[in-house]
Each structure stands twice: as C-alpha cells, then as structure tokens.
Amino acid sequence: MLRTHTCGELNINNLGQTVTLCGWVQKSRDLGGTTFIDVRDRYGLTQLVFNVDTDAALRETSRALGREFVIKVSGEVIERTNKNLKIPTGEIEIAVADIEVLNAAKIPPFLIEDETDGGEELRAKYRYLDLRRNPIRNNLVLRHKMAQEIRKYLDDLNFIEVETPVLIKSTPEGARDFVVPSRMNPGEFYALPQSPQTFKQLLMVSGFDRYFQIVKCFRDEDLRADRQPEFTQIDCEMAFITQEDILNIFEGLTRHLFKNVKGIEFDDFPRMQYADAMRLYGSDKPDIRFGMQFVELNDVVKGKGLGIFDNAELVVGINAKGCAEYTRKQIDELTEWLKRPQIGATGMIYCRYNTDGTLKSSVDKFYTEDDLTNWAAAFGAEKGDLMLVLAGSTDKVRKQLNELRLEMGTRLGLRDKNTYAPLWVLDFPLLEWDEETERYHAMHHPFTSPKPEDIALLDTAPGDVRANAYDLVINGTEIGGGSIRIHDRDLQALMFKHLGFSKEEAQKQFGFLMDAFEYGAPPHGGIAFGFDRLCSIFAGLDSIRDVIAFPKNNSGRDVMIDSPSTIADAQLNELKIKTAL
C-alpha cells in the first residue's frame, strides 16, 4: 500500500507516529512562513503543515501544489494549536517530512466543495469530479449500506438472489421498450427488460419459492426528477403465500432499513384502500405527513344558483389551517398557480373563517352567512382557517386538488424531509380505460390476479374489478408495488382476452409463460421496490439522480460520455439496419 492510513482516521491517539497519506489537495493556505494544505480522500480530510524554518525547500514545493493535485506525504502526527472539532481529524496535523506529486491536475471547472459553484449540466459533464464532493459520495455510501442491509435481511429469510437475462423478448404492454438488434438474427430484436416479471414467475414454477434481485430495468419513457431510462429495482417473488405474507415481510424490510440505516423505528404501517386514497387525497400515493383531507361538498353547496357548482360532477375542497389572513394577492397568486397548463384548473373558490368569527367567501352573492356556516361545519373549520374549493369532473378535480393540497403543505412547512410517513395502499383497480386506444389496459401488468369475488365482473363491469395489488408509499412517493399473480392458465387467458389480445397474440408474446402454467404453477406473488427512489427518500433528495453514480439528464443523455451517439455505417450494415431521420 502506498499509504499507512486514510485521510479520515488519524486522531489524538496517533500523536508521535510517522505516517504516510495519499489523496487530493483540497485547499492551500499561506500564513507567513507556514503553509497549510488540506489533503482529502474518500474517508475524510487531514491538515498538513509545512514550515520554512523546518525545511524551506519542502515548504517552497508545497506552495506549487494546486487544487486536486494527487500527492503522497509522509511525516509525524502532531497536535494542532487551532483545533477543528467539526471533523474527526481536527485535533491533529501532519508535520510533513517528504512529499511526492503522484499526478498534477488542471484547475477543475467547478469547486470540489460541499457547496459548489457548478451548475447541474457542468457537474454532469464532469461527473467523475462531482463524485469527489462529500454530498454525492455520501449518497452513494448510503446506497451501498442500504443494498447490503437488503441482502442481509432477505438472506436471513431464505431468499435466493438469482440473476435474470438482460436481453429478452419485447412486450409492447406497459412502457416503451428499449430494443437491441441481433446481428446473428437479422431483422430481429431483443428488448431490455422493463422488469424481470415473467422470469421471476417462472422461477416460482421452477420451485425457487423465495427469489430476489437488485436488478437494472429499462423503460424508454419521458423523464423527470424521479425517473431514469435505466433504474434499479429490489425485485422479489414468493410462492405459497397470501397477500398478508407479502405485506408483512416487505414492511419488515422497510422497517429494517429505517432502523439500521437511519436509526428510526416505526409501529405498524397504516393501510388504506385505493378508493379511499382517491376520495380523501386525490392520489394513489398520498402524503400523510399532514392532514388536509378532501371534503366533498355536493350536498352542501349545490342548488344555490352558482353554475360552476351546480353543473359540476364533484365539488370538493381542503381546509388550510391558520390561513385566513392570506391576502387577496396571495389567493390570486395561488389561483393562477392552479390555472397553469400542468394542472389545468379553471379557477378556485375560497371562504375565510375570520378570527372575529365572521365568514367571507368569493361567492357571497350566492351564499348567506348561514350557508357558509354549513361549509365551515363540513370542513371542521375553526376561526383563522381558509377553505379552498374546486369543482369539475371527478377524476380531474381530484387530481387538481391533490396538487393544491401538496402545494399548501409545502408552503405551510408540513412536508419535512426528516419526517417519514409510510403506508400501504391496497386493492387497486385491475384495469384502467385508455381513451386513445379505446380499450382497457392492465393498471399494473397482465399477470395481476383479480380479487376472486370480482372475477364475474370481468364480463359485465371490467372497470369495477379490484386487483390483489398493493403499493408501499412513503411521503407521497410510490416506493414499491406488487400483486398476487395469476397462476392458472385459463384465468390468464381470460385476462389477455379482456386486455384485447387475440389468442394468437397472447400465445406469440406470452406462450412460454402460459405453457409453464400447465406444469404445476404454485400460487405466488411479489413486489418490486424502486431502489433509486428509496435511496433518495433516505437521503432527503427530490431527485434520484444524485443517488446514481452516472445518471442521464432529462433528455436521456449522458453528457459525460456523449451518449447516445451515432454508430459507424459498417456497424449498421452488419446489423442490416438503415436509419431514416
């Protein structure tokens, strides 16, 4: 080893020892006849001291060292006179006796500091430099610890980690596939897996009753802060179990991670029906760190001559506690925020419950003080509260009010990143209607089992069929989801029929799975956690990019290596591919 110690481990107990350190120059400070240099590695930072009276030539050499030079130094551990108790090495420094420049460095394009001056694109281009910064490095250390704890927990429960193929068959259901041309089979393509779904079900047929994998998945979809074209799942499947077994084991995994990584312990996670989540929060991933549940007002507000209420399918609102003092300017700004194309509300009605006990609304022309008192009673409002109301078609207005609720939660400081509120959302719809294709699609995937008592509804009311499906939500973010699977060939064929597959299409795409079900498929189910999202929640980040070593940008590009890129004509010819742009 070139070093005897790392830059983060020496302390007062090492006084008098001769040591050798290697690392990068963080910064240099000249003070009269003395130069101080901070040397950094992955483990921490140690101060070096060079004195003109001790070795003038060595001190002069130290003055030529620039930021990010890679150096090797040897010297004695001495006690610092100006201690820095904020870092583990802050009571000592190294009186350097020998120095070697292992590699000089250009001036970096941005400061390698916790608070950097580099913008997002610049840091992405030089990601290998960004990874030297403590916040990014700490995120990856956190990710590593979480992966180790996941493997430990699941191994103790007899789960087997099995790798599944990366080059598979394209299945157009769900998100768009990334496809890979096959040179040996001209005109044919592999797809990169959106998940190992069919393979983990086949492993259940194979008798591997407890499988997991921390696995890369790929989806060619539009990107945002919590999406990447390639992402990582904690993928799990179990045989001979019920839904309750899945919930208990993977709630246990989540609690294990919080306890062993964050030092936080939880009681049992609350559970909520999908229908209740939509009714009370307008979202299948509600943030329950704060209240502000929806209040439906149809019975309270209709029939008074106000068209936007009388003609609406749903009138619904939230009570913003303590916000009655909002000015008209603040309310107008909030209304304009709701009218943005991303949300699409046409307006907002409000009612103040003033501290003097009076009620004042934006629709006083249509409602008396007694009417508004009924509003307040419906909301459970108190003096000082502000009631915010939207109206429209049920699905749209719930989505809009969900956005308003989250925004108010943020503005009122109710969404603390250091507070965690997990819950299970259960019994999702099996199918959802797609207006463009004018047919039902699987809300999760085609292998999700319907509730046995709802199977008869597949022919009469497909939209009412509930699935044996469940999501784990933390702080308004879907962390993972899964279902009990179909393990019977006839029921799977019926599911494909209701999804619009002909027998031939179902056989072509999923015949291998249907055939496997004829050889004794056990009852089984599973779940997949978004590992990147889970890590970002633990790290207190809004974006998953900074828990990924080399992420893509919003255009799906890696600007560091300039990918994707064109390939040579010779490669295209070999693959029998022509491009038409």
Side-chain angles (χ1 to χ4, degrees):
M1 297 293 290
L2 296 183
R3 59 191 178 188
T4 60
H5 297 79
T6 71
C7 294
E9 68 177 295
L10 296 172
N11 56 49
I12 204 74
N13 297 317
N14 300 103
L15 290 180
Q17 294 180 14
T18 298
V19 300
T20 301
L21 303 180
C22 295
W24 288 262
V25 172
Q26 178 71 24
K27 63 175 63 173
S28 178
R29 303 178 300 282
D30 266 355
L31 300 176
T34 304
T35 298
F36 294 100
I37 289 178
D38 292 336
V39 62
R40 178 198 75 238
D41 63 12
R42 161 187 151 192
Y43 305 94
L45 180 146
T46 299
Q47 180 170 285
L48 313 177
V49 58
F50 302 82
N51 193 287
V52 68
D53 296 330
T54 304
D55 190 327
L58 191 64
R59 192 255 176 163
E60 200 59 34
T61 299
S62 74
R63 299 178 73 183
L65 301 177
R67 275 181 176 264
E68 302 306 314
F69 274 44
V70 187
I71 61 173
K72 173 185 174 184
V73 296
S74 298
E76 182 185 350
V77 180
I78 62 174
E79 188 169 4
R80 281 176 64 162
T81 56
N82 58 331
K83 292 182 172 61
N84 179 4
L85 301 182
K86 293 180 180 179
I87 59 174
T89 62
E91 293 185 277
I92 59 94
E93 59 192 8
I94 310 299
V96 178
D98 183 68
I99 186 169
E100 179 183 352
V101 175
L102 300 175
N103 216 328
K106 292 168 62 176
I107 296 173
F110 55 86
L111 287 174
I112 313 296
E113 301 274 5
D114 290 4
E115 297 294 331
T116 183
D117 58 352
E120 189 172 332
E121 280 297 306
L122 184 64
R123 290 187 292 113
K125 183 177 181 180
Y126 296 94
R127 182 64 169 177
Y128 48 86
L129 296 180
D130 200 31
L131 287 168
R132 294 181 186 176
R133 296 172 53 236
N134 286 324
I136 309 300
R137 182 172 62 247
N138 291 343
N139 291 340
L140 294 184
V141 171
L142 172 72
R143 184 185 178 105
H144 164 76
K145 288 180 179 177
M146 292 177 70
Q148 298 310 306
E149 289 295 337
I150 289 162
R151 288 190 164 96
K152 176 182 174 182
Y153 176 88
L154 294 174
D155 181 64
D156 286 346
L157 292 177
N158 291 324
F159 282 79
I160 298 173
E161 186 167 11
V162 182
E163 292 182 88
T164 52
V166 173
L167 297 174
I168 67 168
K169 184 184 185 73
S170 180
T171 55
E173 282 287 309
R176 192 178 293 109
D177 286 327
F178 282 102
V179 294
V180 180
S182 170
R183 178 187 59 80
M184 292 183 288
N185 301 277
E188 296 185 321
F189 296 81
Y190 301 105
L192 302 181
Q194 296 182 29
S195 81
Q197 182 62 48
T198 53
F199 290 101
K200 67 181 181 179
Q201 290 191 251
L202 290 170
L203 285 169
M204 297 302 103
V205 177
S206 303
F208 290 85
D209 64 329
R210 293 192 169 199
Y211 142 93
F212 87 97
Q213 189 179 186
I214 299 178
V215 59
K216 279 285 187 188
C217 302
F218 307 86
R219 293 178 189 172
D220 187 6
E221 56 188 355
D222 294 336
L223 305 183
R224 57 189 188 211
D226 63 348
R227 277 186 185 169
Q228 285 278 293
E230 52 181 315
F231 58 96
T232 305
Q233 282 187 355
I234 311 165
D235 198 56
C236 307
E237 198 80 4
M238 300 175 70
F240 306 116
I241 45 79
T242 65
Q243 176 173 298
E244 193 65 26
D245 298 315
I246 298 279
L247 299 183
N248 288 335
I249 285 176
F250 292 96
E251 179 174 321
L253 170 60
T254 311
R255 292 166 71 171
H256 175 86
L257 289 172
F258 271 111
K259 180 178 178 180
N260 290 278
V261 178
K262 298 288 288 183
I264 298 172
E265 296 198 42
F266 284 100
D267 295 327
D268 292 345
F269 294 177
R271 299 180 181 187
M272 185 181 299
Q273 296 290 309
Y274 169 88
D276 290 334
M278 298 306 295
R279 178 175 59 84
L280 296 173
Y281 299 97
S283 170
D284 60 3
K285 45 181 184 295
D287 186 345
I288 60 168
R289 282 175 292 182
F290 63 106
M292 222 179 287
Q293 291 182 349
F294 291 7
V295 176
E296 297 187 355
L297 299 166
N298 283 19
D299 294 340
V300 179
V301 303
K302 288 198 171 190
K304 300 292 184 177
L306 180 58
I308 57 172
F309 283 176
D310 290 344
N311 299 326
E313 185 178 6
L314 178 65
V315 182
V316 62
I318 55 174
N319 182 24
K321 300 293 291 182
C323 294
E325 299 300 321
Y326 264 38
T327 65
R328 182 60 185 267
K329 181 179 179 182
Q330 286 176 294
I331 292 175
D332 287 347
E333 183 272 325
L334 199 58
T335 304
E336 291 305 311
W337 183 87
L338 278 167
K339 288 181 177 179
R340 294 177 308 150
Q342 302 95 307
I343 299 175
T346 55
M348 180 180 73
I349 304 298
Y350 68 88
C351 178
R352 289 192 180 94
Y353 198 157
N354 297 313
T355 53
D356 63 5
T358 60
L359 289 150
K360 178 68 177 174
S361 81
S362 54
V363 286
D364 281 350
K365 178 180 175 182
F366 298 91
Y367 296 93
T368 66
E369 183 95 1
D370 286 343
D371 292 330
L372 298 180
T373 300
N374 292 333
W375 288 30
F379 278 107
E382 300 172 320
K383 294 175 183 178
D385 293 349
L386 177 65
M387 293 160 270
L388 305 174
V389 182
L390 302 181
S393 62
T394 298
D395 290 343
K396 277 188 178 181
V397 80
R398 281 177 172 169
K399 289 178 182 177
Q400 293 161 358
L401 191 59
N402 169 57
E403 295 292 341
L404 177 59
R405 176 183 177 269
L406 294 176
E407 179 66 14
M408 291 305 297
T410 299
R411 294 186 184 199
L412 295 173
L414 302 175
R415 304 180 72 194
D416 179 9
K417 291 179 181 178
N418 296 312
T419 299
Y420 299 94
L423 83 153
W424 289 105
V425 178
L426 308 177
D427 296 346
F428 282 73
L430 182 70
L431 306 169
E432 58 184 344
W433 182 257
D434 185 276
E435 294 289 348
E436 288 187 20
T437 58
E438 295 187 337
R439 69 178 180 90
Y440 282 104
H441 288 259
M443 180 169 271
H444 283 77
H445 52 65
F447 316 108
T448 299
S449 173
K451 292 275 185 185
E453 61 269 30
D454 289 357
I455 290 176
L457 295 173
L458 279 170
D459 290 319
T460 57
D464 294 338
V465 179
R466 295 167 301 157
N468 276 321
Y470 34 83
D471 278 1
L472 178 64
V473 176
I474 301 177
N475 294 1
T477 297
E478 177 197 332
I479 296 300
S483 65
I484 301 301
R485 320 301 188 192
I486 297 170
H487 66 280
D488 175 78
R489 181 186 176 103
D490 290 341
L491 181 56
Q492 187 64 72
L494 181 64
M495 182 67 171
F496 285 141
K497 173 187 170 185
H498 283 283
L499 290 172
F501 286 83
S502 67
K503 287 184 179 180
E504 294 73 24
E505 288 170 333
Q507 184 63 32
K508 181 179 180 182
Q509 287 192 35
F510 301 109
F512 62 93
L513 185 64
M514 304 278 278
D515 292 343
F517 284 176
E518 295 187 330
Y519 290 94
H524 60 282
I527 195 167
F529 283 10
F531 186 46
D532 309 300
R533 290 185 186 179
L534 189 59
C535 290
S536 67
I537 289 277
F538 272 54
L541 301 170
D542 294 323
S543 169
I544 65 173
R545 288 189 193 127
D546 280 343
V547 295
I548 298 172
F550 299 102
K552 308 286 192 295
N553 67 12
N554 277 346
S555 301
R557 298 198 65 84
D558 184 331
V559 296
M560 182 184 68
I561 63 172
D562 193 23
S563 172
S565 60
T566 57
I567 61 174
D569 288 342
Q571 288 177 281
L572 291 172
N573 292 336
E574 193 174 38
L575 293 167
K576 305 294 190 292
I577 289 177
K578 290 183 178 180
T579 58
L581 300 177

Tab-separated table of all heavy atoms in Angstrom, residues 68-102:
chain	number	residue	atom	x	y	z
A	68	GLU	N	-6.598	19.759	-6.353
A	68	GLU	CA	-6.828	18.442	-6.952
A	68	GLU	C	-5.551	17.750	-7.416
A	68	GLU	O	-5.629	16.701	-8.066
A	68	GLU	CB	-7.853	18.516	-8.095
A	68	GLU	CG	-9.211	19.076	-7.662
A	68	GLU	CD	-9.841	18.345	-6.481
A	68	GLU	OE1	-9.858	17.109	-6.492
A	68	GLU	OE2	-10.300	19.040	-5.533
A	69	PHE	N	-4.352	18.298	-7.107
A	69	PHE	CA	-3.124	17.531	-7.304
A	69	PHE	C	-3.227	16.261	-6.454
A	69	PHE	O	-3.743	16.286	-5.329
A	69	PHE	CB	-1.899	18.320	-6.860
A	69	PHE	CG	-1.322	19.234	-7.915
A	69	PHE	CD1	-2.132	20.023	-8.707
A	69	PHE	CD2	0.058	19.325	-8.096
A	69	PHE	CE1	-1.607	20.872	-9.662
A	69	PHE	CE2	0.597	20.164	-9.050
A	69	PHE	CZ	-0.238	20.942	-9.845
A	70	VAL	N	-2.747	15.153	-7.002
A	70	VAL	CA	-2.707	13.892	-6.243
A	70	VAL	C	-1.316	13.781	-5.628
A	70	VAL	O	-0.309	13.812	-6.348
A	70	VAL	CB	-2.991	12.677	-7.141
A	70	VAL	CG1	-3.112	11.409	-6.305
A	70	VAL	CG2	-4.263	12.891	-7.950
A	71	ILE	N	-1.272	13.669	-4.296
A	71	ILE	CA	0.016	13.705	-3.609
A	71	ILE	C	0.145	12.542	-2.624
A	71	ILE	O	-0.848	11.942	-2.194
A	71	ILE	CB	0.221	15.036	-2.857
A	71	ILE	CG1	-0.859	15.234	-1.779
A	71	ILE	CG2	0.237	16.200	-3.839
A	71	ILE	CD1	-0.609	16.447	-0.888
A	72	LYS	N	1.407	12.266	-2.286
A	72	LYS	CA	1.759	11.307	-1.237
A	72	LYS	C	2.678	12.030	-0.270
A	72	LYS	O	3.673	12.639	-0.692
A	72	LYS	CB	2.451	10.093	-1.843
A	72	LYS	CG	3.025	9.104	-0.850
A	72	LYS	CD	3.807	8.001	-1.579
A	72	LYS	CE	4.522	7.092	-0.601
A	72	LYS	NZ	5.350	6.078	-1.311
A	73	VAL	N	2.325	12.030	1.021
A	73	VAL	CA	3.138	12.734	2.012
A	73	VAL	C	3.441	11.818	3.182
A	73	VAL	O	2.640	10.945	3.531
A	73	VAL	CB	2.426	14.003	2.535
A	73	VAL	CG1	2.237	15.016	1.430
A	73	VAL	CG2	1.095	13.679	3.193
A	74	SER	N	4.617	12.025	3.777
A	74	SER	CA	4.997	11.310	4.996
A	74	SER	C	5.416	12.336	6.031
A	74	SER	O	5.963	13.406	5.707
A	74	SER	CB	6.150	10.341	4.728
A	74	SER	OG	5.774	9.351	3.797
A	75	GLY	N	5.174	12.036	7.285
A	75	GLY	CA	5.570	12.948	8.352
A	75	GLY	C	5.030	12.486	9.693
A	75	GLY	O	4.409	11.428	9.824
A	76	GLU	N	5.253	13.324	10.715
A	76	GLU	CA	4.866	12.987	12.084
A	76	GLU	C	3.514	13.601	12.430
A	76	GLU	O	3.216	14.735	12.047
A	76	GLU	CB	5.924	13.514	13.064
A	76	GLU	CG	5.627	13.173	14.519
A	76	GLU	CD	6.630	13.803	15.479
A	76	GLU	OE1	7.643	14.342	14.998
A	76	GLU	OE2	6.384	13.765	16.709
A	77	VAL	N	2.700	12.842	13.155
A	77	VAL	CA	1.413	13.332	13.639
A	77	VAL	C	1.675	14.213	14.858
A	77	VAL	O	2.273	13.769	15.849
A	77	VAL	CB	0.476	12.175	14.033
A	77	VAL	CG1	-0.871	12.723	14.539
A	77	VAL	CG2	0.254	11.226	12.862
A	78	ILE	N	1.263	15.484	14.764
A	78	ILE	CA	1.451	16.416	15.881
A	78	ILE	C	0.100	17.031	16.256
A	78	ILE	O	-0.865	16.937	15.508
A	78	ILE	CB	2.468	17.524	15.531
A	78	ILE	CG1	1.976	18.365	14.351
A	78	ILE	CG2	3.851	16.932	15.231
A	78	ILE	CD1	2.856	19.572	14.029
A	79	GLU	N	0.059	17.667	17.416
A	79	GLU	CA	-1.191	18.253	17.877
A	79	GLU	C	-1.369	19.639	17.272
A	79	GLU	O	-0.424	20.439	17.213
A	79	GLU	CB	-1.187	18.350	19.399
A	79	GLU	CG	-2.518	18.780	19.999
A	79	GLU	CD	-2.573	18.609	21.508
A	79	GLU	OE1	-1.546	18.216	22.106
A	79	GLU	OE2	-3.643	18.887	22.081
A	80	ARG	N	-2.603	19.914	16.828
A	80	ARG	CA	-2.895	21.228	16.263
A	80	ARG	C	-3.079	22.244	17.374
A	80	ARG	O	-3.620	21.932	18.442
A	80	ARG	CB	-4.185	21.177	15.429
A	80	ARG	CG	-3.990	20.579	14.053
A	80	ARG	CD	-5.299	20.442	13.280
A	80	ARG	NE	-5.941	21.722	12.986
A	80	ARG	CZ	-6.870	21.891	12.049
A	80	ARG	NH1	-7.258	20.860	11.308
A	80	ARG	NH2	-7.410	23.078	11.838
A	81	THR	N	-2.624	23.448	17.100
A	81	THR	CA	-2.868	24.522	18.069
A	81	THR	C	-4.265	25.111	17.879
A	81	THR	O	-4.913	25.502	18.837
A	81	THR	CB	-1.805	25.626	17.915
A	81	THR	OG1	-1.808	26.083	16.553
A	81	THR	CG2	-0.421	25.089	18.285
A	82	ASN	N	-4.720	25.189	16.637
A	82	ASN	CA	-6.085	25.691	16.346
A	82	ASN	C	-6.954	24.499	15.941
A	82	ASN	O	-7.118	24.179	14.776
A	82	ASN	CB	-6.061	26.749	15.246
A	82	ASN	CG	-5.452	26.228	13.953
A	82	ASN	OD1	-4.604	25.333	13.970
A	82	ASN	ND2	-5.901	26.769	12.824
A	83	LYS	N	-7.524	23.840	16.905
A	83	LYS	CA	-8.263	22.594	16.652
A	83	LYS	C	-9.586	22.881	15.934
A	83	LYS	O	-10.222	23.910	16.132
A	83	LYS	CB	-8.524	21.859	17.975
A	83	LYS	CG	-7.254	21.311	18.631
A	83	LYS	CD	-7.588	20.555	19.911
A	83	LYS	CE	-6.379	19.843	20.485
A	83	LYS	NZ	-5.274	20.743	20.841
A	84	ASN	N	-9.974	21.912	15.119
A	84	ASN	CA	-11.255	21.956	14.408
A	84	ASN	C	-12.055	20.715	14.826
A	84	ASN	O	-11.896	19.635	14.265
A	84	ASN	CB	-11.037	21.958	12.890
A	84	ASN	CG	-12.342	21.969	12.108
A	84	ASN	OD1	-13.419	22.041	12.684
A	84	ASN	ND2	-12.241	21.902	10.788
A	85	LEU	N	-12.911	20.886	15.804
A	85	LEU	CA	-13.629	19.745	16.364
A	85	LEU	C	-14.823	19.319	15.510
A	85	LEU	O	-15.546	18.387	15.872
A	85	LEU	CB	-14.087	20.073	17.787
A	85	LEU	CG	-12.952	20.418	18.768
A	85	LEU	CD1	-13.513	20.674	20.156
A	85	LEU	CD2	-11.907	19.300	18.803
A	86	LYS	N	-15.008	19.970	14.361
A	86	LYS	CA	-16.105	19.587	13.475
A	86	LYS	C	-15.757	18.383	12.607
A	86	LYS	O	-16.631	17.800	11.978
A	86	LYS	CB	-16.492	20.761	12.569
A	86	LYS	CG	-17.103	21.943	13.321
A	86	LYS	CD	-17.466	23.059	12.367
A	86	LYS	CE	-18.072	24.258	13.116
A	86	LYS	NZ	-18.400	25.360	12.178
A	87	ILE	N	-14.449	18.022	12.546
A	87	ILE	CA	-14.041	16.873	11.750
A	87	ILE	C	-13.265	15.899	12.638
A	87	ILE	O	-12.623	16.311	13.617
A	87	ILE	CB	-13.196	17.291	10.534
A	87	ILE	CG1	-11.934	18.053	10.961
A	87	ILE	CG2	-14.023	18.133	9.572
A	87	ILE	CD1	-10.991	18.355	9.796
A	88	PRO	N	-13.290	14.597	12.337
A	88	PRO	CA	-12.630	13.596	13.192
A	88	PRO	C	-11.128	13.803	13.338
A	88	PRO	O	-10.551	13.449	14.362
A	88	PRO	CB	-12.938	12.273	12.484
A	88	PRO	CG	-14.159	12.536	11.677
A	88	PRO	CD	-14.062	13.969	11.248
A	89	THR	N	-10.482	14.393	12.320
A	89	THR	CA	-9.026	14.590	12.358
A	89	THR	C	-8.645	15.985	12.851
A	89	THR	O	-7.486	16.381	12.745
A	89	THR	CB	-8.435	14.385	10.951
A	89	THR	OG1	-8.999	15.363	10.070
A	89	THR	CG2	-8.719	12.988	10.422
A	90	GLY	N	-9.610	16.715	13.391
A	90	GLY	CA	-9.401	18.137	13.666
A	90	GLY	C	-8.499	18.484	14.831
A	90	GLY	O	-8.201	19.665	15.035
A	91	GLU	N	-8.039	17.482	15.601
A	91	GLU	CA	-7.135	17.775	16.713
A	91	GLU	C	-5.673	17.577	16.352
A	91	GLU	O	-4.795	17.898	17.152
A	91	GLU	CB	-7.479	16.875	17.912
A	91	GLU	CG	-8.832	17.163	18.535
A	91	GLU	CD	-9.064	16.336	19.785
A	91	GLU	OE1	-9.480	15.168	19.672
A	91	GLU	OE2	-8.794	16.867	20.888
A	92	ILE	N	-5.417	17.062	15.139
A	92	ILE	CA	-4.024	16.767	14.748
A	92	ILE	C	-3.726	17.348	13.378
A	92	ILE	O	-4.632	17.771	12.642
A	92	ILE	CB	-3.756	15.249	14.752
A	92	ILE	CG1	-4.723	14.515	13.759
A	92	ILE	CG2	-3.929	14.677	16.149
A	92	ILE	CD1	-4.181	14.277	12.393
A	93	GLU	N	-2.446	17.352	13.038
A	93	GLU	CA	-1.994	17.673	11.693
A	93	GLU	C	-0.718	16.896	11.445
A	93	GLU	O	-0.136	16.307	12.373
A	93	GLU	CB	-1.762	19.180	11.541
A	93	GLU	CG	-0.746	19.766	12.493
A	93	GLU	CD	-0.763	21.293	12.495
A	93	GLU	OE1	-1.657	21.880	11.875
A	93	GLU	OE2	0.125	21.884	13.135
A	94	ILE	N	-0.266	16.880	10.201
A	94	ILE	CA	0.953	16.158	9.848
A	94	ILE	C	2.062	17.164	9.555
A	94	ILE	O	1.913	18.017	8.671
A	94	ILE	CB	0.749	15.258	8.607
A	94	ILE	CG1	-0.507	14.393	8.759
A	94	ILE	CG2	1.984	14.401	8.355
A	94	ILE	CD1	-0.484	13.469	9.923
A	95	ALA	N	3.159	17.064	10.339
A	95	ALA	CA	4.361	17.853	10.043
A	95	ALA	C	5.107	17.105	8.937
A	95	ALA	O	5.778	16.100	9.178
A	95	ALA	CB	5.213	17.990	11.286
A	96	VAL	N	4.971	17.577	7.711
A	96	VAL	CA	5.425	16.817	6.554
A	96	VAL	C	6.943	16.830	6.445
A	96	VAL	O	7.585	17.883	6.534
A	96	VAL	CB	4.789	17.383	5.268
A	96	VAL	CG1	5.288	16.622	4.040
A	96	VAL	CG2	3.263	17.305	5.348
A	97	ALA	N	7.496	15.620	6.249
A	97	ALA	CA	8.942	15.474	6.056
A	97	ALA	C	9.283	15.121	4.614
A	97	ALA	O	10.423	15.325	4.175
A	97	ALA	CB	9.485	14.396	7.000
A	98	ASP	N	8.303	14.574	3.877
A	98	ASP	CA	8.560	14.176	2.489
A	98	ASP	C	7.257	14.283	1.705
A	98	ASP	O	6.178	13.978	2.221
A	98	ASP	CB	9.084	12.736	2.434
A	98	ASP	CG	9.428	12.314	1.013
A	98	ASP	OD1	10.391	12.864	0.448
A	98	ASP	OD2	8.715	11.453	0.467
A	99	ILE	N	7.375	14.744	0.465
A	99	ILE	CA	6.186	14.872	-0.377
A	99	ILE	C	6.504	14.412	-1.780
A	99	ILE	O	7.615	14.639	-2.292
A	99	ILE	CB	5.670	16.332	-0.388
A	99	ILE	CG1	4.351	16.423	-1.153
A	99	ILE	CG2	6.697	17.277	-0.986
A	99	ILE	CD1	3.640	17.756	-0.979
A	100	GLU	N	5.526	13.731	-2.417
A	100	GLU	CA	5.669	13.271	-3.791
A	100	GLU	C	4.381	13.596	-4.542
A	100	GLU	O	3.286	13.283	-4.069
A	100	GLU	CB	5.921	11.765	-3.828
A	100	GLU	CG	6.054	11.201	-5.226
A	100	GLU	CD	6.228	9.680	-5.245
A	100	GLU	OE1	6.398	9.085	-4.163
A	100	GLU	OE2	6.156	9.099	-6.349
A	101	VAL	N	4.558	14.272	-5.673
A	101	VAL	CA	3.390	14.544	-6.513
A	101	VAL	C	3.152	13.317	-7.388
A	101	VAL	O	3.958	12.999	-8.257
A	101	VAL	CB	3.604	15.801	-7.383
A	101	VAL	CG1	2.421	15.990	-8.333
A	101	VAL	CG2	3.785	17.030	-6.509
A	102	LEU	N	2.062	12.621	-7.140
A	102	LEU	CA	1.730	11.430	-7.920
A	102	LEU	C	1.097	11.800	-9.252
A	102	LEU	O	1.220	11.060	-10.227
A	102	LEU	CB	0.771	10.530	-7.128
A	102	LEU	CG	1.298	10.004	-5.787
A	102	LEU	CD1	0.208	9.224	-5.062
A	102	LEU	CD2	2.536	9.148	-5.985
